[in-house]
Amino acid sequence: MEHHESILILDFGSQYTQLIARRIRELGVYSEIKPFDISIDEIKDRRPKGIILSGGPSSVYGANAPLPSPAIFQLDLPVLGICYGLQVIAHMKNGQVDPASRREYGRAALDILDQSDLFYRIDQRTQVWMSHGDHLTKLPKGFQVIANTDNAPIAAIRHTRERIFGIQFHPEVVHTMQGKEILSNFLYRICRCEGNWNASSFAEATVQSIREKLGDQHALCALSGGVDSTVAAYLVGKAIGDRLTCIFVDTGLLRHQEAKQVSDYFKNAPFHFKAIDASAQFLSKLEGVYDPEQKRKIIGNEFIRVFEKEAKQLGDIKYLVQGTLYPDVIESVSTKGPSATIKSHHNVGGLPEKMGLSLIEPLRELFKDEVRRVGRELNITDVILKRHPFPGPGLAVRILGEITRERIEILQPADHIFIEELVRNDLYDHIWQAFAVLLPVKSVGVMGDERTYENTIALRAVTSLDGMTADWADIPHSVLAHISNRIINEIKGVNRVVYDISSKPPSTIEWE
Ligand code: XMP
């Protein structure tokens, strides 16, 4: 997407790279992350106001150490190297980097030697966060030291004439007390940014650029009613109106009343909306299937089949809109194994190639909370913006064992009671995901004078920032007790409720 003012972050693999991007946007400047080896022409095309070299796990002297094109120093753009990024600058400018005799991990006191630009108005001594084993031992030619710590005599450098800076610590993490001010100095004092980025300007610029890109072409979107696909659809809908068709597939595996709510809501959306009830088809395909991966595969394939059929009827379509977020992008490019495949199918994976569609992914650079803010600018209801994430395969992976209509009818209301009570107790918005799971075990109970032999519902609620790691949510016992009572009393076929107290890792959020 075109945004007139931006900072380009070259990623060398640090776990903090995404945080840098986010801090910069919080400071009012649009920023994008690209791989460290992006070509110089691509960099020029983006016309950034400055470049940041991220941290990374490598050592500049290691075999195949990642290095950017040397031409980045010839663009007359400010460059800031952070941690490994500083070492990259030192290495490429003929300084010296060595393993530190005393590794510095964690908090350190930084002494500022020069407060003229990068450290403008930063305390003379300030706490920073270090996390790297290598240190600069010799200053590259033309550079000066602008800060040090007890263990690192060269903790920050600046070129004497050009706008090239490097810092050994991480300004993007909260443990660096004045990190935001330091980044702000880079943006506003050094790169001379204006700071015009916010959710509303993002929405405006995005709508404008989609309109230009699509011209009078038509686009298609698989709308789930979740935050991501909804916000993406609204942006495109605002750009091209009815030439966007959003297809909502009811798999029969959605939450209580979800299909109806979604259909009602999108009746007034700024695009053409079509809901398809394919539940019978999905459920028949899932008959007798127990294996979780098998369930996922069947649902993925079926989804594509339904979607493709609808798309064909619409005729000439060139684009497919997807609500891919930045974490999805890194998940799918990472080598983390299973997580790479997790999101593939609900984004109708494989379909774009098959149908010759080009992708429109307006949210590709954003994080969930930023997407919510954009959604708010577009006046999308909080019911959608605050809704917990829901997996593509839906209740199929929350009904352990076989999926039948009867079992769906036990799980849906149980889940609904859980969610309703969380909302009532003001807990829902503090939880990343909460849901009920129907277990494939029956157990003995007693109701009145009768012995029962019925189903077990497990309640799962976790707090998390991105779904990659998660802690079980500490819901007050009184609330849990009330939820348990309601579920057992109100839902026929359930005589036991348990609460899941496992974190991720080693458990996962979903049970299948
Ligand atoms: P796990 O269970 O792996 O889940 O800790 C992490 C996040 O991913 C969601 N999830 C899925 N989403 N298709 C999806 O679209 C899937 O097959 C799938 N499996 C898990 C899960 O709900 C959580 O938010």
Side-chain angles (χ1 to χ4, degrees):
M1 290 303 138
E2 274 274 336
H3 294 272
H4 42 277
E5 181 182 87
S6 74
I7 293 288
L8 181 65
I9 301 169
L10 299 189
D11 182 21
F12 292 91
S14 162
Q15 52 172 335
Y16 297 129
T17 306
Q18 28 176 320
L19 257 185
I20 305 175
R22 163 189 210 110
R23 290 283 174 263
I24 290 176
R25 293 201 291 261
E26 281 166 11
L27 288 164
V29 177
Y30 187 67
S31 68
E32 286 187 314
I33 300 173
K34 293 289 160 199
F36 70 91
D37 56 357
I38 175 178
S39 77
I40 207 73
D41 286 337
E42 277 179 274
I43 295 180
K44 281 187 192 156
D45 280 352
R46 296 180 182 273
R47 283 180 278 139
K49 286 254 180 137
I51 298 177
I52 291 183
L53 312 179
S54 85
S58 318
S59 168
V60 283
Y61 292 120
N64 304 322
L67 294 174
S69 158
I72 61 163
F73 297 112
Q74 264 104 59
L75 297 173
D76 194 28
L77 284 176
V79 176
L80 171 65
I82 294 176
C83 195
Y84 177 77
L86 157 75
Q87 293 156 19
V88 165
I89 294 172
H91 181 63
M92 294 174 78
K93 298 274 182 190
N94 297 317
Q96 177 79 26
V97 178
D98 286 310
S101 51
R102 279 180 59 193
R103 287 170 153 229
E104 210 166 19
Y105 282 103
R107 292 183 178 78
L110 184 79
D111 290 314
I112 310 280
L113 307 175
D114 180 320
Q115 284 168 319
S116 59
D117 38 30
L118 190 60
F119 297 134
Y120 181 72
R121 293 205 168 152
I122 302 300
D123 297 344
Q124 203 284 316
R125 176 162 258 226
T126 184
Q127 181 190 297
V128 297
W129 183 259
M130 296 278 197
S131 101
H132 210 280
D134 290 354
H135 274 167
L136 251 68
T137 46
K138 191 180 128 230
L139 202 55
K141 196 159 174 282
F143 282 79
Q144 65 186 103
V145 181
I146 52 173
N148 56 28
T149 69
D150 289 347
N151 291 322
I154 311 180
I157 61 173
R158 178 184 65 193
H159 196 279
T160 49
R161 289 183 323 277
E162 295 162 35
R163 293 175 296 173
I164 307 175
F165 297 79
I167 51 186
Q168 180 62 60
F169 59 89
H170 287 275
E172 67 276 18
V173 305
V174 291
H175 314 291
T176 295
M177 299 308 282
Q178 291 173 290
K180 239 179 153 162
E181 288 80 353
I182 296 170
L183 286 174
S184 170
N185 285 338
F186 180 69
L187 299 179
Y188 292 103
R189 303 192 72 81
I190 297 166
C191 299
R192 309 229 164 267
C193 291
E194 283 163 26
N196 46 19
W197 197 86
N198 54 40
S200 138
S201 70
F202 172 85
E204 221 170 276
T206 305
V207 168
Q208 181 64 26
S209 82
I210 293 172
R211 195 174 284 144
E212 282 163 18
K213 180 167 177 180
L214 268 56
D216 55 9
Q217 305 283 359
H218 289 246
L220 195 61
C221 174
L223 186 61
S224 70
V227 184
D228 311 345
S229 63
T230 303
V231 174
Y234 266 71
L235 286 169
V236 179
K238 275 191 92 167
I240 64 167
D242 270 356
R243 278 180 286 121
L244 168 66
T245 298
C246 289
I247 295 175
F248 168 73
V249 179
D250 177 2
T251 58
L253 297 157
L254 301 175
R255 289 165 285 196
H256 176 75
Q257 300 261 305
E258 186 170 0
K260 183 175 180 316
Q261 273 173 9
V262 169
S263 299
D264 286 350
Y265 184 69
F266 287 111
K267 268 190 198 128
N268 301 315
F271 43 72
H272 177 221
F273 174 79
K274 184 162 186 198
I276 295 158
D277 179 0
S279 51
Q281 188 175 332
F282 276 85
L283 297 184
S284 89
K285 284 268 160 35
L286 286 165
E287 241 170 74
V289 178
Y290 289 77
D291 177 65
E293 285 316 300
Q294 194 65 24
K295 290 178 181 174
R296 282 194 167 81
K297 209 168 280 165
I298 290 170
I299 294 168
N301 288 340
E302 213 48 41
F303 193 96
I304 288 184
R305 193 171 315 195
V306 172
F307 193 75
E308 202 173 16
K309 187 170 148 222
E310 289 305 315
K312 280 206 180 112
Q313 287 174 7
L314 288 168
D316 189 25
I317 295 201
K318 288 265 180 331
Y319 293 95
L320 182 71
V321 179
Q322 288 194 343
T324 320
L325 306 193
Y326 186 69
D328 306 335
V329 178
I330 41 173
E331 250 185 63
S332 52
V333 297
S334 78
T335 49
K336 285 201 186 73
S339 60
T341 51
I342 279 180
K343 309 232 167 153
S344 49
H345 79 255
H346 82 134
N347 284 342
V348 283
L351 200 64
E353 298 84 25
K354 207 166 150 200
M355 295 180 62
L357 297 171
S358 307
L359 286 182
I360 301 278
E361 302 180 305
L363 310 174
R364 237 184 117 80
E365 303 292 334
L366 305 192
F367 292 89
K368 197 80 154 192
D369 58 324
E370 295 176 316
V371 172
R372 290 203 171 102
R373 244 171 282 147
V374 174
R376 225 156 270 144
E377 290 297 328
L378 298 167
N379 288 324
I380 297 170
T381 172
D382 263 0
V383 175
I384 283 178
L385 296 182
K386 290 191 169 174
R387 185 175 263 171
H388 291 170
F390 188 64
L395 301 186
V397 290
R398 295 177 179 175
I399 294 177
L400 275 53
E402 196 183 3
I403 299 153
T404 60
R405 279 202 190 269
E406 296 79 63
R407 298 191 77 210
I408 294 174
E409 277 159 22
I410 292 176
L411 182 59
Q412 274 178 338
D415 185 74
H416 182 61
I417 290 173
F418 187 22
I419 298 302
E420 197 173 60
E421 290 300 329
L422 291 179
V423 171
R424 187 171 293 160
N425 288 281
D426 202 19
L427 294 164
Y428 185 81
D429 292 343
H430 304 283
I431 287 171
W432 166 264
Q433 247 176 322
F435 52 89
V437 180
L438 179 58
L439 303 189
V441 282
K442 291 197 170 185
S443 71
V444 174
V446 52
M447 264 184 188
D449 294 329
E450 304 240 353
R451 178 185 179 280
T452 59
Y453 188 60
E454 300 282 16
N455 291 290
T456 310
I457 288 283
L459 302 178
R460 178 68 160 152
V462 297
T463 54
S464 173
L465 284 174
D466 52 13
M468 304 282 278
T469 61
D471 288 316
W472 58 274
D474 195 357
I475 299 175
H477 290 181
S478 57
V479 177
L480 287 173
H482 183 61
I483 294 167
S484 165
N485 271 343
R486 277 197 61 193
I487 291 178
I488 293 173
N489 286 326
E490 292 175 32
I491 299 168
K492 216 169 142 266
V494 177
N495 67 353
R496 193 175 295 275
V497 172
V498 297
Y499 189 59
D500 181 350
I501 51 167
S502 359
S503 290
K504 172 183 178 177
S507 299
T508 51
I509 296 175
E510 302 291 343
W511 274 48
E512 281 196 338

